[in-house]
Amino acid sequence: MSVRTWGVVGTGPNGRGIAQLVATKGLEVILVGQTDEDLAQARRQIELSLQHEIERWALTESEKRAILSRISMTTDMTEMAKADFVVTARIGDIKEDQELLRTLDQICRGEVILASNTSTLSITEMASATNRPDRVIGCHFLQPIPRTKVVQVVRGLKTSDETVAEVMALVERLDRTGVEVYESPGYITTRLIIPLINEACQLLLEGVASAEDIDTAMRLGFEMPRGPLEIADRIGLDTVLVMAERLWREYGDMKYRPAPNLKKLVRAGHLGVETGEGFFKYDADGDRIKNGGTGR
């Protein structure tokens, strides 16, 4: 199947990250949002991300314009009829995702693969809402999507070998490495990172060390680009909380039970980079502010 146009549903960090990555590789993108305000915000964030690439000398101004020209934005879901491959990137529960897949199944051509960027929900359960369960798959991009080199390609119970092969080829076309995963809540990366983030939250809550020192110890001690608390901020603390709660429900294992200080920050609206404050503080460009740990 020839894929020239990607459909991306969702304008949050995941949706716009996927759109930016795909457009950077020379493909067309139709990005669907729920409101015009969502789309305007997504365009601003994509422009800002591309500007950072220019400042790193990784991109030119003319390349930035070309990338933006390949991303069309709309609130009209029926535009997905033009897409050759569709990935959903909204944060919702299984019923909402099933309804979204059911709608896309009616809109999209029969041969089009429907993928979900979910990190915890059941691909098999989503696929059951469609007439093409063999063409439904998980395609989990990790943050920061424009730079992270791995994509988890997740089989549902009825996902065909042909679909897996096609998606692995699409991932390779994006210069990413596809890792094939058989459906299990949290897959590989979420199942491993949530306990690490949770334990870092507990260390902070118990006063064992400051947020800064916890992350410094993990960064330098294990050669991690970022510590667990900053990773959480960049994923989005609301997203981390949703993932932890889903894993807690699925497995009933205490290591997934969300730490109280994570819940407190989310309730306060301190969601991380997106809001400028989480475990650390961030400027408008998403860069850490020195001595910007919350201490919470």
Side-chain angles (χ1 to χ4, degrees):
M1 181 182 68
S2 176
V3 173
R4 294 182 181 142
T5 301
W6 281 52
V8 179
V9 181
T11 56
N14 291 325
R16 61 180 183 254
I18 295 168
Q20 178 183 327
L21 172 62
V22 172
T24 299
K25 300 304 178 182
L27 298 166
E28 299 293 322
V29 179
I30 304 169
L31 181 62
V32 175
Q34 292 182 297
T35 67
D36 289 334
E37 291 76 15
D38 290 341
L39 294 173
Q41 172 69 1
R43 181 165 289 277
R44 282 194 297 271
Q45 292 297 324
I46 292 171
E47 288 177 350
L48 183 61
S49 178
L50 293 173
Q51 190 59 41
H52 284 170
E53 295 302 300
I54 291 174
E55 291 166 3
R56 293 175 54 243
W57 300 91
L59 207 66
T60 66
E61 190 65 45
S62 62
E63 286 171 330
K64 173 185 173 182
R65 289 195 297 271
I67 291 166
L68 289 170
S69 73
R70 288 192 283 268
I71 303 174
S72 62
M73 298 188 176
T74 181
T75 57
D76 184 1
M77 188 70 76
T78 63
E79 287 293 294
M80 290 293 98
K82 301 174 183 176
D84 303 312
F85 176 81
V86 175
V87 58
T88 66
R90 286 183 183 169
I91 298 176
D93 60 27
I94 189 64
K95 297 300 182 186
E96 292 170 324
D97 277 33
Q98 280 184 314
E99 188 56 39
L100 178 56
L101 265 289
R102 185 178 291 112
T103 299
L104 289 169
D105 186 43
Q106 295 168 356
I107 293 171
C108 298
R109 302 190 307 276
E111 72 275 12
V112 171
I113 294 170
L114 303 180
S116 171
N117 188 60
T118 183
S119 61
T120 52
L121 295 178
S122 168
I123 301 302
T124 300
E125 203 167 348
M126 287 185 212
S128 69
T130 75
N131 294 310
R132 62 181 92 189
D134 60 316
R135 302 291 280 171
V136 177
I137 196 167
C139 199
H140 182 225
F141 293 80
L142 277 72
Q143 289 285 0
I145 291 171
R147 295 186 190 176
T148 303
K149 294 296 185 180
V150 70
V151 178
Q152 293 180 107
V153 177
V154 186
R155 283 179 175 267
L157 181 63
K158 295 187 177 180
T159 306
S160 69
D161 291 343
E162 178 186 8
T163 297
V164 172
E166 288 180 32
V167 173
M168 292 291 268
L170 288 176
V171 167
E172 185 176 352
R173 189 173 174 185
L174 298 178
D175 296 325
R176 297 301 184 264
T177 298
V179 176
E180 186 176 347
V181 183
Y182 288 84
E183 182 179 305
S184 177
Y187 315 142
I188 298 170
T189 56
T190 302
R191 191 167 169 179
L192 292 176
I193 199 64
I194 290 299
L196 177 60
I197 291 171
N198 243 348
E199 198 60 30
C201 291
Q202 289 290 349
L203 286 171
L204 184 61
L205 187 65
E206 292 168 16
V208 174
S210 68
E212 184 69 46
D213 285 344
I214 290 167
D215 270 24
T216 297
M218 294 304 293
R219 280 193 304 104
L220 301 183
F222 293 92
E223 298 184 358
M224 298 172 65
R226 296 185 176 95
L229 297 175
E230 185 176 348
I231 289 172
D233 279 348
R234 293 190 179 278
I235 293 172
L237 299 188
D238 52 341
T239 301
V240 171
L241 181 58
V242 167
M243 292 190 298
E245 287 175 336
R246 285 176 180 167
L247 291 174
W248 167 235
R249 285 197 301 271
E250 288 284 349
Y251 292 111
D253 194 315
M254 292 290 288
K255 66 187 177 187
Y256 298 119
R257 189 173 73 173
N261 49 351
L262 172 62
K263 290 183 176 181
K264 183 171 75 170
L265 286 170
V266 172
R267 288 167 181 161
H270 300 319
L271 308 182
V273 174
E274 193 81 358
T275 59
E277 183 175 1
F279 289 106
F280 301 99
K281 294 182 180 179
Y282 303 85
D283 63 22
D285 293 333
D287 296 322
R288 277 268 307 274
I289 296 173
K290 192 174 181 181
N291 300 320
T294 65
R296 287 187 281 265

